[in-house]
Amino acid sequence: MKTHEQNERLPAAMTEAGVSDLEFAQWQDVVSCTTFSEAVEALERRLASSSSLVPDWVLLHIFANKQTTREDAIEMQQYFIRHVLDNRSIDYETRAGCAVLTTHALARYGLDPLVTPIVKSFLGRSTAPGFFSTTHAFYANSFLIAMSRFPLSQAISDQFHQLVPAIRKQDIELSDVTLDFLLASRNNSLKFTQEVHALLREGRQLSTADRDLIKTYIGVLQKEGERGSIAKILTLLIAPDWNAATEPQPVEDNDAPHTPSDGFPPYFPIGLFADAYQEMTIFQWISYISQVARDPKVSGSILLDLYSFAQQQVTVSQPGSTQIGLRRALLPAIISGLANRGEAARAVVLWDEYLHRHLTPERVMAGEYLKLDRHLLGAGVNALCKAGRLSEAFETMNALGLRVGEGGYTGGRTKYQYPMLDPGDPTPRPRVPLSDITVFSFMQSCTAHRRPDVVFAMWDAMEGVWGTVPNANALQSILISASVAARLRASAPLREEMQYISYRMRALLTPWKRAAAGVIGPRGSADDPAHVIRGMLAEPVDATLWRGVPAWQRARYIFRTVLFSNWPELQTVEAPALPLREGEPADYSFGDRDAGDWRAVRDEEPDPVPASPEDAAGTEDLQENSPSTQKAAAHSLADDTITSAELTEPAFPNIIPNADVFHRYISMLGQCGRAAEIAHALAWMRQLNILPTTSTLAMALVYWRTVTDDAPAVEIYKDVVGVQTEQENEEAAASMNFYGSEYVKLVRWLHEWVSDRMPSDAVLKEFDRYQHQIIRQSE
């Protein structure tokens, strides 16, 4: 399909490139081929029957658009070496372009041993000069970007170090994009980072800290197993060529006393010349400390020492400075850094100190205070949540968070007075919009403290009240909370049963009223949604329903609405296997364990989730009257059908599910008696090109086994995955016709899709034991 679309656009592209119709028609049989090998064969036939030279655009088109498989990448490298590299009838820049495209193809499939000849073509050989010296800097930058895409490889790491001297020798200017790719490469090392840093210092006279370099230095130090100490990072930044005969080792014990030496940062190498850091600007200190605050190997005490030292140093180097900019930017980083290190109590002390020193009515009215922003508010809420003070975190968020309708704020990226003072509030206080990270941090903490009712209420209110649009993190929170709610015992089960019956009757008898929105009253009124959440936090959780229905039903409906409204084509995706029964809720009589929390040892790193509001610094950012929630409320949740009328536009355009969200969704299905839908969920993942982790696959297979057959799942799994030949495959299928056919079908489908991520039989048994042997109990 992709090649067909490219061939359809080809005539227009050739016209834009100045290729005549006659020339295009002459080479159309070559450029219209679907694979690289077919294009090369057509090209060789043309050259054998004609003495005409191959136009540059034809060669570049073949290298750019005909590589679709690993075999194509290998053949592309061989063709480049044999027919392009030393072909003097082809100009240097065309050859360099083909080399770059070949490198991209090799990197895509991790074929690092084949890239060595191409590296030499850029560096230069005894028989020919290198492309670094004969072509424009564009090709050098493009080649370096392609090299940065290779997976971790010692061969690629070694070749990285050969590139820097050549770049320095030819005086090639590296673009900012190239630098970003190089420093973010998996093959980056401390030595290579220092070499790139030296290039920057030579070309741009950098003498102090740079945000990206700080982050890179921390990353490579952690990757290479070195202690990411403040002393070492700062030394590398401001004096990378400095060498001391005996460098003192920094002490990083949380309980050790910390007494910075006069004139030096905490644990700074004493031998380093003092004026190396004295010229650092406020922005450079902010860049440095903000990144170090994210380094878990730096203790909280050292972080506080460095924060104090930076303020002292700015006062000395910049007399008369109020340090407002320094404190405003660093305070969120310090508070979040302490909270994420498990020192929430110290983080709360800093937050309380800020409130008492800067947000008193007198200071606010006089305008003499450190202004609040969304990052500082988020850091404070995160610290209170990590300290387990949920009620206080909500009251802080509610009191200082700007609401829709206040000061002209309508949610999202609306312009507003920053911060806004509410003239109707008897106590003057600044208010700022809540970031989605702040709301997610609070919801995540409520889930950890087993308060699913508060999570559901926050989902209902976050957009209509505070203008914060739900995202994938919020969706993940409600999926986890729905699983938690299913494991709780209702304090009044008869009352909940009557509420559910009442909801079903209303949905059946008065469908035209189901979309009626609840009233959101102004701040402090009887209809203020904050009253509901405040009341929930004041009492133990006593309900497992979410607005009249079991929580998993509403969470499931929201998840399916997200998928079908953003990707309508998913409604026609068929499940790779069919269940034999519906499934039953998991039995938790042996204890309360969330299947979604289990992880296999071989799992890859999960998708990154911001750990704190400060991690989102620098970025811009249901109650029932919000459009998305009206659609959810207007549907009978027990009905699996979502009508096309409800999908005229995306209901949740900001939610892009990732592997973690699907993991939690499959976990919820298994725990809430909907294991029969797991195969469909996996089919949606494949359609969206989202790769499941080994843990997700293990969990899905164990739950799927409970609704498909009565034979031991692990034995079937070993038989299916262990077959090697087609004949063995057919024999195994024949022997399994009487049991496990749908289980086997799903296993084979998964093995075809993600064979390298399939769990072992030991992993399946491990998950089964974690879930209290649900397979053996069901037999």
Side-chain angles (χ1 to χ4, degrees), residues 438-451:
T438 303
V439 176
F440 167 66
S441 176
F442 178 71
M443 295 173 68
Q444 188 180 46
S445 296
C446 290
T447 301
H449 287 83
R450 295 173 57 82
R451 295 307 306 261

Side-chain angles (χ1 to χ4, degrees), residues 596-609:
D597 292 336
W598 179 84
R599 290 291 187 274
V601 176
R602 62 169 292 182
D603 263 1
E604 296 182 356
E605 289 295 324
D607 293 338
V609 176

Side-chain angles (χ1 to χ4, degrees), residues 475 479 555-563 657 661-662 665 684:
L475 176 60
L479 294 173
R556 169 179 171 272
Y557 177 75
I558 291 175
F559 180 85
R560 290 162 67 92
T561 302
V562 168
L563 292 186
V661 172
F662 270 97
Y665 178 67
W684 295 335

Side-chain angles (χ1 to χ4, degrees), residues 272-426:
L272 183 60
F273 49 93
D275 59 353
Y277 59 86
Q278 290 179 355
E279 296 180 0
M280 290 179 68
T281 65
I282 289 180
F283 173 77
Q284 290 161 349
W285 277 114
I286 291 172
S287 302
Y288 168 55
I289 299 179
S290 297
Q291 293 295 339
V292 172
R294 294 184 173 92
D295 183 3
K297 295 185 178 181
V298 177
S299 71
S301 296
I302 293 182
L303 195 59
L304 289 173
D305 285 347
L306 184 63
Y307 177 50
S308 300
F309 179 85
Q311 295 184 74
Q312 298 170 9
Q313 184 60 38
V314 169
T315 302
V316 173
S317 61
Q318 301 182 36
S321 173
T322 61
Q323 304 179 18
I324 291 295
L326 179 69
R327 286 185 304 211
R328 181 186 300 163
L330 286 187
L331 194 55
I334 300 299
I335 292 176
S336 295
L338 291 173
N340 295 333
R341 285 168 171 77
E343 301 183 39
R346 300 174 80 173
V348 171
V349 169
L350 280 180
W351 172 249
D352 289 340
E353 180 183 348
Y354 166 75
L355 293 179
H356 293 131
R357 290 185 58 184
H358 296 280
L359 294 191
T360 61
E362 297 77 17
R363 297 291 296 272
V364 171
M365 292 301 294
E368 299 174 353
Y369 68 101
L370 182 61
K371 287 187 177 181
L372 183 72
D373 62 22
R374 63 172 59 192
H375 306 302
L376 183 52
L377 174 58
V381 171
N382 179 56
L384 292 168
C385 289
K386 292 291 180 67
R389 296 156 65 170
L390 296 183
S391 295
E392 189 175 346
F394 174 74
E395 295 299 341
T396 300
M397 191 167 57
N398 183 51
L400 300 178
L402 192 65
R403 293 193 178 191
V404 173
E406 295 178 342
Y409 179 63
T410 59
R413 299 177 180 270
T414 305
K415 294 183 178 180
Y416 56 90
Q417 187 176 352
Y418 182 77
M420 195 277 297
L421 296 177
D422 186 358
D425 193 332

Side-chain angles (χ1 to χ4, degrees), residues 12-317:
M14 295 299 100
T15 301
E16 294 177 3
V19 178
S20 65
D21 293 339
L22 179 62
E23 185 178 9
F24 173 73
Q26 181 182 359
W27 296 96
Q28 186 173 8
D29 60 327
V30 177
V31 299
S32 299
C33 294
T34 57
T35 66
F36 186 84
S37 58
E38 292 177 0
V40 167
E41 290 176 2
L43 184 63
E44 290 177 347
R45 288 195 301 269
R46 172 59 60 85
L47 294 177
S49 60
S50 173
S51 59
S52 59
L53 297 177
V54 181
D56 295 342
W57 66 268
V58 173
L59 198 59
L60 290 173
H61 175 78
I62 294 175
F63 273 81
N65 297 302
K66 305 305 178 184
Q67 180 270 316
T68 57
T69 65
R70 178 187 177 92
E71 289 69 26
D72 285 340
I74 296 174
E75 186 171 357
M76 182 185 296
Q77 188 263 5
Q78 295 173 348
Y79 186 84
F80 172 78
I81 298 299
R82 296 172 182 171
H83 302 285
V84 178
L85 178 58
D86 294 319
N87 190 337
R88 298 193 176 184
S89 64
I90 305 175
D91 63 72
Y92 275 112
E93 294 197 343
T94 301
R95 282 185 271 171
C98 293
V100 170
L101 294 170
T102 303
T103 305
H104 276 291
L106 297 176
R108 179 179 180 182
Y109 296 100
L111 300 171
D112 48 280
L114 300 182
V115 79
T116 301
I118 302 178
V119 174
K120 292 181 179 179
S121 71
F122 275 86
L123 296 176
R125 298 161 295 156
S126 58
T127 57
F131 294 138
F132 277 148
S133 61
T134 57
T135 60
H136 191 270
F138 166 80
Y139 295 97
N141 280 268
S142 300
F143 173 68
L144 294 174
I145 291 174
M147 288 291 293
S148 71
R149 298 179 58 210
F150 275 95
L152 183 61
S153 165
Q154 185 60 46
I156 299 296
S157 298
D158 294 340
Q159 289 170 346
F160 263 36
H161 298 297
Q162 301 176 28
L163 299 176
V164 175
I167 295 171
R168 178 182 286 111
K169 181 179 180 181
Q170 300 299 329
D171 194 24
I172 298 173
E173 182 178 356
L174 300 182
S175 68
D176 292 339
V177 174
T178 303
L179 291 172
D180 290 342
F181 272 94
L182 287 175
L183 295 176
S185 171
R186 297 179 183 178
N187 291 289
N188 189 13
S189 63
L190 181 60
K191 180 181 178 182
F192 182 74
T193 301
Q194 291 175 306
E195 292 172 347
V196 173
H197 188 190
L199 279 178
L200 295 177
R201 290 170 65 89
E202 291 175 3
R204 304 184 185 183
Q205 291 75 46
L206 292 182
S207 59
T208 51
D210 174 81
R211 183 184 298 271
D212 292 333
L213 281 171
I214 295 167
K215 186 176 181 180
T216 302
Y217 274 126
I218 292 175
V220 295
L221 286 171
Q222 291 177 337
K223 183 179 73 172
E224 298 185 2
E226 298 189 34
R227 295 173 65 84
S229 69
I230 288 176
K232 184 153 192 171
I233 298 169
L234 190 55
T235 303
L236 292 171
L237 282 165
I238 63 180
D241 300 325
W242 176 79
N243 291 308
T246 58
E247 179 181 347
Q249 293 295 322
V251 180
E252 296 192 5
D253 184 0
N254 287 333
D255 300 325
H258 300 284
T259 54
S261 303
D262 293 338
F264 287 91
Y267 304 104
F268 198 72
I270 303 300
L272 183 60
F273 49 93
D275 59 353
Y277 59 86
Q278 290 179 355
E279 296 180 0
M280 290 179 68
T281 65
I282 289 180
F283 173 77
Q284 290 161 349
W285 277 114
I286 291 172
S287 302
Y288 168 55
I289 299 179
S290 297
Q291 293 295 339
V292 172
R294 294 184 173 92
D295 183 3
K297 295 185 178 181
V298 177
S299 71
S301 296
I302 293 182
L303 195 59
L304 289 173
D305 285 347
L306 184 63
Y307 177 50
S308 300
F309 179 85
Q311 295 184 74
Q312 298 170 9
Q313 184 60 38
V314 169
T315 302
V316 173
S317 61

